[in-house]
Amino acid sequence: MISVILPVLNEEKRLGQRLSELAALGPDIGEVLVVDGGSTDATVARAREYPEATVLSAPRGRASQMNAGAEAARGDVLLFLHADVALPPDALRHVRDALEDPRVVAGAFKTWTVNDTGRRSWLGPLLHLADLRSRYTRLPYGDQALFIRTEVFRRVGGFPAQPLMEDLELSRRLWREGRIRTVEACVTVSGRRFLARPVFYFLAVNGFPLLYRLGVSPATLLRVYTHVR
């Protein structure tokens, strides 16, 4: 049984599409948990339109929200999905195939970033530069739709309570438990954040993880993040 956990904050425009896509994947998804971090728009109302979704609330922050969803989940596998990431139609087959190997404790998808804003941009050809990272990294990021055996997720303590790089740190901990497999399928990622602030996005996706691996603390990165943002 797979539990899909969606941390959301002011995602009324995208949430309905994500929930419709998940419903189309069929009964192999045991449950969908939408964890709101204090939205001020119609996100919660939109989630409640879907009887398949369980709506929860948690303190703002992806780590906090995803941990709350995981705590309430009943599935054997947890799949963490961002609101601007769409799973491929055969996503569940890839999850099952990856976890058939008992040495694999978690997995992730490759990314394919697209311009879904409805506006043309000269930055469009650069969107796929972000996808290169998902093809070579051993430490998957959150936008790769991480899926994890529930027992392992709980054993490593879930997402760490830190302001940034919580997905990278979790991936580090998971490698100590077993293998992480990147499957041969892509999730589709919205390029809206890159197109809105290309310099900031490039720094956040590429520069910050490098600094984190070099030992810079999440608190220091948060100060830089807040200043640049």
Side-chain angles (χ1 to χ4, degrees), residues 8 14 20 27 53 64 66 83 92 97 120 127 157 197 199 213 219 222:
V8 294
R14 293 177 180 271
S20 294
S64 168
M66 290 188 290
L92 302 187
D97 289 350
R120 298 190 62 170
L127 284 173
R197 295 178 295 171
V199 174
R213 291 175 185 176
L222 180 62

Side-chain angles (χ1 to χ4, degrees), residues 158-174:
F159 286 95
Q162 58 189 58
L164 288 175
M165 302 294 112
E166 73 284 343
D167 47 2
L168 206 60
E169 182 59 33
L170 176 63
S171 292
R172 277 180 169 177
R173 297 178 184 182
L174 290 171

